[in-house]
Amino acid sequence: MIDLRLLRDNPDIVRASQVTRGDDPALVDAALDADARHRAALSEFESLRAEQKSLGKQVAQAQGEEKQELLARTKQLAADVKARQADADAASEELRGLLFRISNVVAGAPAGGEDDYVVLREEGTIRDFAAEGFTPRDHLDLGEGLRAIDTERGAKVSGARFYYLTGVGARLELALLNAAMDTAVAAGFTPVITPTLVRPEAMQGTGFLGAHADEIYRLEKDDLYLVGTSEVALAGYHANEIVDLSAGPLRYAGWSACYRREAGSHGKDVRGIIRVHQFHKVEMFSYCDPADAEAEHQRLLGWEEQMLRLVDLPYRVIDTAAGDLGSSAARKFDCEAWLPTQQRYLELTSTSNCTTFQARRLNVRERVEVDGKNETRTVATLNGTLGTTRWIVAILENHQQADGSVRVPEGLRPYLGGLEVLEPVVA
């Protein structure tokens, strides 16, 4: 939720952000109108309440006709106070609903939509398979040859876009996620195994029940949601709390299964395990001083790039355009690995600076001293991916060899008992 003071003092900034995102700027004016009605009703309520209290004292001292007149006025005031309270409550509820529909204010992201990202840099060397004398196979061909990926049985048991990771496939995912967790712990993150079912308050608080709510699995009988990222559970971890940031950001690394309906993605990346309904992920999550959020964002990106170097993948970093941001993100950087068989880059990580947007919804604050007085203020939250099942796609394709084997990146070998090459299984 955006800062109401910002909306009041600088509505043009919020309108401009809405336009840049491709969202409706009229929501800003509707919210301002509801806010004005709320404040006016509150002012009238308080004035009437003051008069009501004053009359109460006068009634106790009055007699005869004067007392009857005062009692009549008191009765009318009681009705007026009740009416103004109802008006204030209705306007407050309307305002809250509108504030929940306004996306976070964009901070530095390029204008435009999905294709208007800005490439910040490219890292690593893209292999020339033609010069090596063979045509690369896609990750599913390789995975089936290694007996690492089984989509046919996944579909048989669970339906389209489900799969089994078997043998070295299962080991490879565990190696990747353990390496990600070790990277996080070395950077000062607290490892957390998070719940994968959450209440609506947590899902709404993180901004996932907006335009993309159809992506989420819901258990209607229990009124619980399956998370698409442990970001949701980690953001809700300190809901309605005052946290201590005196020693720096609070950083958590969540390991969880994740679930996405992939609504609207029919025909996109249907082969293999690029776009699936269930996967595993290690997610970084940080609570920090709002003044430090931009620097923390760069730190999260740095740890993501460290993981990409660990598995020796060629990648690029993009600055995501405003129209492609989630409603909670003020800015987002993606790291995309090169996919040889499709001759394109594939998103492997993203890191978002959500400023105070999520924490304001979830009521996460810190104590600060202002002019010698202790006050509370909303903190900033940020998130970033350190490793996920999809990375297996890029690892297999970029490290494959002509005979269908796959070289294990040196950074993962300690997590695979020193294994250097994944060999095809002969039937």
Side-chain angles (χ1 to χ4, degrees):
M1 186 159 53
I2 64 167
D3 187 345
L4 183 55
R5 288 173 299 179
L6 174 65
L7 187 72
R8 291 169 178 167
D9 298 341
N10 296 287
D12 287 342
I13 291 176
V14 186
R15 287 192 194 95
S17 176
Q18 289 286 99
V19 171
T20 301
R21 285 177 171 274
D23 290 347
D24 185 4
L27 289 173
V28 174
D29 297 300
L32 287 171
D33 178 66
D35 180 45
R37 285 186 282 111
H38 175 243
R39 287 194 286 174
L42 270 183
S43 178
E44 289 183 43
F45 166 79
E46 290 167 359
S47 177
L48 290 170
R49 280 285 292 162
E51 184 180 352
Q52 193 178 38
K53 290 179 181 179
S54 176
L55 278 179
K57 296 177 182 178
Q58 295 178 43
V59 168
Q61 299 174 354
Q63 295 181 355
E65 185 176 336
E66 179 187 7
K67 187 168 187 174
Q68 293 306 311
E69 290 177 356
L70 288 173
L71 285 171
R73 176 58 182 156
T74 299
K75 185 177 180 181
Q76 181 60 49
L77 272 176
D80 291 345
V81 165
K82 187 175 181 180
R84 295 294 79 75
Q85 178 70 70
D87 290 344
D89 290 346
S92 176
E93 188 63 26
E94 181 183 351
L95 174 61
R96 180 175 172 79
L98 288 164
L99 289 177
F100 266 84
R101 293 172 59 193
I102 297 174
S103 299
N104 199 0
V105 175
V106 175
E114 182 179 359
D115 299 323
D116 297 308
Y117 56 83
V118 173
V119 177
L120 299 179
R121 57 184 172 276
E122 296 180 359
E123 302 288 347
T125 302
I126 294 174
R127 286 174 64 184
D128 184 348
F129 285 94
E132 296 181 33
F134 73 100
T135 300
R137 306 179 192 186
D138 78 0
H139 74 280
L140 185 57
D141 280 342
L142 292 162
E144 289 177 339
L146 297 168
R147 299 283 177 87
I149 302 173
D150 190 336
T151 56
E152 288 188 11
R153 288 187 174 91
K156 177 180 70 175
V157 172
S158 301
R161 299 185 191 246
F162 286 94
Y163 58 94
Y164 286 87
L165 294 179
T166 59
V168 294
R171 293 182 65 195
L172 186 58
E173 178 176 83
L174 289 170
L176 174 66
L177 297 180
N178 274 302
M181 191 59 83
D182 280 354
T183 298
V185 170
F189 286 78
T190 299
V192 184
I193 305 296
T194 65
T196 56
L197 285 167
V198 299
R199 291 177 172 176
E201 296 88 344
M203 196 65 79
Q204 184 181 56
T206 44
F208 285 94
L209 292 185
H212 300 289
D214 59 350
E215 290 276 351
I216 303 167
Y217 287 105
R218 182 184 176 209
L219 281 66
E220 293 187 14
K221 186 175 180 180
D222 303 290
D223 198 18
L224 294 171
Y225 291 88
L226 283 165
V227 299
T229 168
S230 60
E231 169 193 345
V232 179
L234 292 173
Y237 189 61
H238 286 300
N240 300 312
E241 293 181 18
I242 297 174
V243 297
D244 182 3
L245 300 181
S246 59
L250 281 178
R251 299 185 179 117
Y252 299 98
W255 181 323
S256 76
C258 304
Y259 305 88
R260 297 183 185 177
R261 293 185 62 240
E262 292 294 349
S265 64
H266 302 294
K268 295 180 180 178
D269 295 322
V270 294
R271 180 173 166 80
I273 61 170
I274 293 177
R275 196 182 292 268
V276 292
H277 292 309
Q278 176 184 328
F279 55 94
H280 286 90
K281 181 156 67 87
V282 171
E283 182 81 359
M284 299 178 288
F285 195 88
S286 178
Y287 297 88
C288 76
D289 181 335
D292 190 39
E294 189 173 341
E296 182 73 353
H297 199 195
Q298 290 296 328
R299 290 190 283 267
L300 295 182
L301 177 59
W303 288 313
E304 290 180 339
E305 292 191 70
Q306 180 180 332
M307 269 298 297
L308 288 163
R309 290 191 295 271
L310 184 78
V311 296
D312 193 19
L313 291 175
Y315 68 92
R316 70 181 183 184
V317 181
I318 67 169
D319 194 352
T320 306
D324 198 30
L325 294 174
S327 64
S328 296
R331 195 172 192 183
K332 180 165 78 81
F333 301 120
D334 288 348
C335 293
E336 303 178 327
W338 179 250
L339 199 59
T341 60
Q342 296 188 24
Q343 292 291 290
R344 69 177 178 94
Y345 284 96
L346 173 71
E347 179 195 330
L348 293 192
T349 81
S350 66
T351 176
S352 297
N353 179 3
C354 297
T355 60
T356 58
F357 187 85
Q358 292 177 329
R360 184 169 288 105
R361 290 178 171 216
L362 293 165
N363 191 31
V364 185
R365 297 155 293 149
E366 66 169 328
R367 292 197 188 280
V368 293
E369 186 174 308
V370 179
D371 297 328
K373 297 180 180 179
N374 285 323
E375 298 182 1
T376 62
R377 70 175 177 193
T378 306
V379 304
T381 62
L382 302 95
N383 62 81
T385 306
L386 262 189
T388 186
T389 305
R390 182 184 282 189
W391 286 45
I392 293 173
V393 174
I395 290 170
L396 293 181
E397 292 205 10
N398 281 281
H399 295 300
Q400 65 180 290
Q401 302 182 108
D403 62 355
S405 63
V406 175
R407 182 180 63 83
V408 177
E410 289 188 20
L412 290 185
R413 291 176 188 175
Y415 299 93
L416 287 164
L419 188 62
E420 296 184 4
V421 178
L422 308 180
E423 299 284 358
V425 177
V426 178

